[in-house]
């Protein structure tokens, strides 16, 4: 806990001391108020000279609603840096040749530049848009936004009346808003704004590696999986889970409405929940939380997944080793979606990860309004009420691989995908998620 505060303090001191320069080129790193991400961000800062102002999105978390969707903090940045000419938005693992990048920004006629991503088919996470020729930025390669575009954006956003509904894909939605409000399209300079290191690149991404945190204290045996299912899906979805990631050695239960006396295996680890709901699942999810709390006391971590969620258990364990740094502080990991200006939540299909402290606090403070309240959204509301920060994990996916830009998927190691419709489940699992536990690991099982 203390360590976290010291890091926060360090960052704020850093920001103050750098305001004494010309402040024309400002770097904004997309970050999270989580100590692992802060460590990544700190590492990034060591590549940036002290006279360049360096901002972090997470430092607006307590003051600006929807800070994580980036544009809500634009006006605050312009207010603070009146001399700003360029805002460079990037991720903690984006690297760049700053001299060349600044030179480039001084010469270019373009106003909004980066590495363009394209949809090749209508995607559920982009509201099935048919615009395939309009690039949106990959922040891993960094994106330059000029003052012109920012000012116009801020100006026009004040009278923008369309309500914000669901926040799903930040980079896509931010781009849509910039297009709409400022009439500016992203200039795609993929050869200069690169997603891996190549000669002549101004920027590149160093991200594609495993979460490698040496932790002996967190093993597979510390993870408990609660899977939400329904009698009709036992023979279809659950069988597919077993052909992919749901290994017998994992600690799990299947939370369902009833057992099929003729078809189901009596030894299967079913747990019957009192009420079944077609949608929503609040009751089912809280049954899992309660069961973990009361009956699974030896486990530190709870993963809640759907019966059509594909997981890479190896990567999940590595993720937990890096991110679950304290048993005393409640921690929740998930894929962040937002609901308007109200709250964010870990979207359920991609998997939700809790430590015991988080489960305890949720159970003692929140109760489903109705059994079929949407479970993930209600959890988001509950986390907000409890002031528990949800940490966004971009390797978790609410949709199937084809809903995401191929190029964007290529520079990450995905941890989950969701929904079995119209895909070859086993093939998708093999292609995107399957990875052997290494030989040095004492678990020799494959997932
Ligand atoms: C930051 O850099 C240090 C030193 O190279 C390294 O040990 C650490 O793992 C890095 N942190 C992250 C989160 O990558
Ligand atoms: C950045 O580019 C300049 C000009 O090409 C070069 O002289 C310099 O070595 C580069 N710096 C780094 C850190 O690569
Ligand atoms: C139970 O299993 C049988 C045989 O597979 C199937 O025909 C029936 O529809 C199942 N019942 C339910 C409620 O899913």
């Amino acid at each position: 806990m203390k360590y976290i505060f010291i890091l926060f303090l360090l960052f704020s001191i850093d920001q103050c001391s750098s305001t004494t320069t010309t402040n024309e080129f400002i770097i904004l790193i997309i970050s999270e108020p989580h100590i692992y991400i802060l460590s990544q961000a700190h590492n990034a800062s060591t590549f940036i000279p002290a006279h360049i102002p360096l901002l972090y999105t997470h430092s607006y978390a307590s003051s600006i609603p929807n800070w994580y969707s980036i544009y809500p903090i634009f006006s605050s940045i312009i207010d603070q840096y009146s001399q700003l000419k360029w805002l460079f938005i990037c991720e903690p693992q984006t690297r760049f040749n700053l001299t060349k990048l600044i030179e480039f920004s001084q010469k270019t006629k373009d106003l909004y530049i980066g590495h363009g991503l394209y949809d090749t088919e209508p995607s559920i996470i982009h509201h099935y848009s048919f615009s395939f020729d309009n690039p949106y930025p990959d922040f891993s390669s960094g994106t330059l936004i000029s003052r012109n575009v920012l000012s116009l954006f801020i100006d026009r956003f004040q009278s923008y009346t369309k309500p914000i509904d669901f926040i799903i894909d930040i980079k896509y939605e931010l781009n849509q808003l910039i297009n709409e409000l400022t009439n500016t399209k992203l200039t795609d300079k993929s050869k200069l704004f690169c997603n891996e290191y190549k000669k002549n690149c101004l920027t590149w991404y160093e991200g594609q590696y495993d979460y490698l945190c040496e932790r002996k204290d967190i093993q597979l045996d510390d993870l408990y999986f609660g899977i939400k299912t329904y009698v009709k899906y036992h023979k279809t979805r659950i069988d597919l889970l077993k052909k992919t990631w749901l290994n017998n050695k994992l600690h799990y239960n299947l939370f369902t409405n009833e057992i099929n006396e003729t078809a189901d295996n009596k030894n299967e680890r079913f747990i019957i929940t009192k009420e079944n709901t077609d949608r929503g699942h609040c009751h089912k999810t809280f049954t899992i939380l309660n069961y973990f709390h009361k009956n699974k006391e030896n486990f530190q971590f709870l993963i809640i997944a759907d019966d059509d969620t594909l997981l890479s258990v190896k990567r999940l364990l590595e993720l937990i080793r890096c991110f679950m740094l304290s048993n005393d502080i409640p921690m929740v990991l998930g894929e962040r979606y937002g609901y308007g200006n109200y709250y964010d939540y870990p979207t359920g299909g991609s998997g939700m990860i809790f430590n015991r402290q988080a489960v305890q606090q949720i159970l003692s403070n929140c109760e489903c309004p109705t059994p079929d309240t949407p479970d993930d959204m209600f959890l988001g509301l509950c986390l907000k009420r409890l002031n528990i920060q949800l940490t966004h994990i971009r390797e978790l996916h609410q949709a199937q691989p084809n809903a995401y830009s191929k190029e964007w998927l290529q520079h990450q190691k995905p941890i989950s995908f969701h929904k079995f419709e119209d895909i070859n489940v086993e093939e998708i699992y093999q292609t995107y998620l399957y990875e052997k536990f290494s030989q040095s690991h004492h678990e020799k099982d494959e997932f």
Side-chain angles (χ1 to χ4, degrees), residues 231-232 258 260 262-263:
V231 64
K232 219 177 78 193
E258 65 176 82
N260 186 333
T262 54

Side-chain angles (χ1 to χ4, degrees), residues 47 96-101 103 197 200-202 204:
F47 293 97
F96 36 87
N97 184 322
L98 196 58
T99 316
K100 287 210 288 194
L101 185 60
E103 262 172 39
Y197 182 78
N200 300 326
C201 292
L202 300 176
W204 59 95

Side-chain angles (χ1 to χ4, degrees), residues 172-190:
Y172 182 84
E173 287 154 24
L174 172 59
N175 182 65
Q176 293 285 100
L177 270 178
I178 291 178
N179 293 170
E180 193 177 333
L181 292 173
T182 73
N183 248 326
T184 314
K185 300 230 154 153
L186 180 78
T187 306
D188 178 8
K189 296 261 187 212
S190 302

Side-chain angles (χ1 to χ4, degrees), residues 260-419:
N260 186 333
E261 295 295 343
T262 54
D264 287 333
N265 177 355
K266 298 281 175 305
N267 297 325
E268 185 49 273
R269 305 177 210 174
F270 287 119
I271 291 189
I272 312 288
T273 56
K274 273 202 225 102
E275 303 189 48
N276 188 61
T277 48
D278 283 344
R279 38 180 59 227
H281 309 308
C282 201
H283 171 75
K284 208 169 261 173
T285 292
F286 270 70
T287 306
I288 298 176
L289 293 169
N290 265 306
Y291 190 82
F292 175 76
H293 178 60
K294 294 206 184 95
N295 302 71
K296 294 287 162 188
E297 279 168 354
N298 295 331
F299 295 86
Q300 280 309 310
F301 308 105
L302 169 66
I303 296 99
I304 300 184
D306 286 356
D307 53 8
D308 57 351
T309 303
L310 285 176
L311 288 173
S312 166
V313 176
K314 175 177 186 279
R315 295 177 193 161
L316 187 66
L317 177 62
E318 287 167 349
L319 175 84
I320 289 174
R321 282 184 174 148
C322 283
F323 280 79
M324 290 299 192
L325 293 168
S326 164
N327 292 335
D328 304 325
I329 306 172
M331 291 194 175
V332 181
L333 313 177
E335 183 190 7
R336 177 190 289 123
Y337 275 21
Y339 180 56
N341 273 322
Y342 307 110
Y343 55 88
D344 56 339
Y345 62 95
T347 179
S350 52
M352 306 183 273
I353 305 150
F354 307 83
N355 69 354
R356 181 162 288 281
Q357 184 62 236
V359 172
Q360 237 146 29
Q361 294 211 13
I362 291 166
L363 286 174
S364 39
N365 292 285
C366 302
E367 218 174 291
C368 290
T370 61
D372 65 350
T373 300
D375 56 346
D376 48 5
M377 294 179 73
F378 180 65
L379 279 170
L381 202 59
C382 173
L383 295 180
K384 180 175 173 173
R385 193 185 303 159
L386 297 175
N387 210 4
I388 298 176
Q389 190 69 56
L390 162 69
T391 300
H392 174 66
I393 305 298
R394 70 181 146 200
E395 289 88 355
L396 299 172
H397 304 280
Q398 173 71 15
Q400 304 173 344
N402 66 357
Y404 303 87
S405 148
K406 252 201 189 81
E407 226 190 322
W408 182 74
L409 278 185
Q410 252 158 26
H411 61 64
Q412 63 164 255
K413 292 195 169 184
I415 299 175
S416 74
F417 288 104
H418 175 233
K419 280 215 166 85

